[in-house]
């Protein structure tokens, strides 16, 4: 049986490979405001942040010779910010990045209101 890739880490790395996303998610301490599952309570919510959440378990999409030929993953990528232009820029970059690596995407953006 083949080992499944860590898709959360793959998506995280793909996002940081984009200069716009890397710049807009950079925190003051040098880390990036991209998290898995949910944004921590202690996170800086005054700046843009991205949350990657699996929507369901990996699903075999094609099987041959009693082995999975490919597996389908479904993730939700939330882009949240109090700045609508920054949020839209990152959402567009995520959509472009996904198209480049063959990921179908639907980006949902939420605007935080003070």
């Amino acid at each position: 049986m083949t080992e499944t890739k860590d898709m959360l880490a793959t998506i995280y790395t793909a996002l940081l490979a984009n200069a716009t996303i890397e710049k807009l998610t950079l925190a003051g301490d040098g880390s990036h405001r991209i998290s898995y599952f949910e944004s921590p309570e202690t996170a800086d919510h005054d700046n843009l942040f991205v949350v990657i959440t699996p929507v369901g378990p990996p699903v075999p999409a094609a099987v041959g010779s009693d082995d999975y030929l490919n597996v389908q993953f479904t993730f939700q990528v939330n882009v949240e910010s109090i700045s609508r232009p920054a949020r839209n820029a990152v959402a567009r970059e995520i959509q472009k990045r996904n198209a480049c690596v063959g990921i179908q995407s639907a980006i949902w953006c939420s605007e935080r209101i003070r």
Side-chain angles (χ1 to χ4, degrees):
M1 184 171 183
T2 359
E3 188 175 326
T4 304
K5 290 166 96 175
D6 180 359
M7 290 305 293
L8 285 170
T10 301
I11 293 169
Y12 182 89
T13 303
L15 293 177
L16 285 182
N18 180 285
T20 302
I21 297 170
E22 194 274 336
K23 176 183 166 193
L24 289 174
T25 61
L26 186 62
D29 63 0
S31 64
H32 291 276
R33 291 182 302 272
I34 300 175
S35 48
Y36 306 134
F37 303 105
E38 61 185 36
S39 182
E41 293 290 327
T42 58
D44 174 12
H45 292 284
D46 288 334
N47 293 300
L48 183 137
F49 62 96
V50 176
V51 179
I52 307 165
T53 309
V55 176
V59 178
V63 180
S65 298
D66 294 330
D67 199 11
Y68 299 149
L69 300 176
N70 62 18
V71 178
Q72 178 179 334
F73 296 88
T74 306
F75 289 92
Q76 178 175 324
V77 180
N78 287 339
V79 180
E80 299 186 25
S81 176
I82 57 176
S83 167
R84 195 173 68 223
R87 180 206 64 203
N88 291 344
V90 168
R92 274 192 303 278
E93 292 300 321
I94 290 172
Q95 286 175 328
K96 283 193 245 176
R97 184 76 189 157
N98 288 347
C100 290
V101 294
I103 299 173
Q104 295 177 344
S105 66
I107 301 295
W108 297 94
C109 299
S110 57
E111 186 172 0
R112 292 182 39 105
I113 300 173
R114 280 187 189 234

